Amino acid sequence: MNTTRIYLVLACLCLLVTACEKQDCFTPPEPVVFEFVDAEGNNLITTGQLHNDNFEFREELGNDQNELVEHTIGVDDRVTLYSVGWSGGVEQFKFLSTIKSFSFLVKARNNKGCGGTKIEQVTLDDVEYQQKEGYFLITLVPE
């Protein structure tokens, strides 16, 4: 009878411990996606005015240092940044092109109780844009 109680107590403790374990719920931040258009709404990648040789993204690291940020161009001719927002806090970036350049900030927060981050806000400076469902539509007019 005593062994039955011991097994019952051990089973309850095991259930309690496993129920309180941290779940594996790592979530990477959503990518930041841009579509670049001209004043008439024509996609600048589709028209050939923007291509990998005449634009880039840079992360501002401080002390006049920056680092190239990888991007991909999708079949929809939108540009995707997968590597932004991975650290909690504010990151500052620059988009540099032969048409127009601008800076933008990405504010992310750490997920509570899980790994990963969530992008809370993307702020673009000195450029006309609209936030659409899942991407930013940016109008680039030559400087």
Side-chain angles (χ1 to χ4, degrees):
M1 182 113 172
N2 284 337
T3 57
T4 305
R5 285 185 187 170
I6 291 174
Y7 286 127
L8 185 58
V9 169
L10 286 175
C12 289
L13 285 175
C14 287
L15 288 174
L16 183 62
V17 169
T18 57
C20 293
E21 278 187 26
K22 181 180 172 182
Q23 295 180 1
D24 183 19
C25 57
F26 176 80
T27 53
E30 292 291 321
V32 175
V33 181
F34 297 122
E35 180 176 352
F36 298 104
V37 297
D38 61 19
E40 288 78 41
N42 300 310
N43 184 299
L44 294 171
I45 293 175
T46 303
T47 63
Q49 295 177 62
L50 275 183
H51 45 81
N52 275 327
D53 295 333
N54 69 357
F55 77 92
E56 67 184 17
F57 295 89
R58 296 235 164 230
E59 181 178 2
E60 299 294 319
L61 303 173
N63 297 326
D64 293 323
Q65 294 185 14
N66 60 63
E67 184 176 88
L68 185 65
V69 176
E70 295 294 321
H71 66 274
T72 60
I73 298 175
V75 294
D76 57 1
D77 287 337
R78 291 182 181 155
V79 179
T80 303
L81 304 174
Y82 291 101
S83 62
V84 301
W86 280 84
S87 61
V90 177
E91 297 171 311
Q92 186 170 345
F93 299 90
K94 282 200 181 234
F95 169 78
L96 305 167
S97 80
T98 56
I99 300 172
K100 181 175 176 67
S101 297
F102 62 89
S103 60
F104 62 99
L105 298 173
V106 175
K107 181 180 177 184
R109 66 171 169 76
N110 292 323
N111 288 330
K112 301 219 187 250
C114 291
T117 57
K118 177 174 175 43
I119 293 178
E120 292 183 319
Q121 182 179 9
V122 177
T123 305
L124 290 79
D125 294 323
D126 300 322
V127 69
E128 183 182 326
Y129 72 95
Q130 298 173 22
Q131 188 168 353
K132 301 283 190 168
E133 184 67 34
Y135 69 98
F136 292 87
L137 182 68
I138 301 170
T139 304
L140 294 182
V141 178
E143 298 177 319

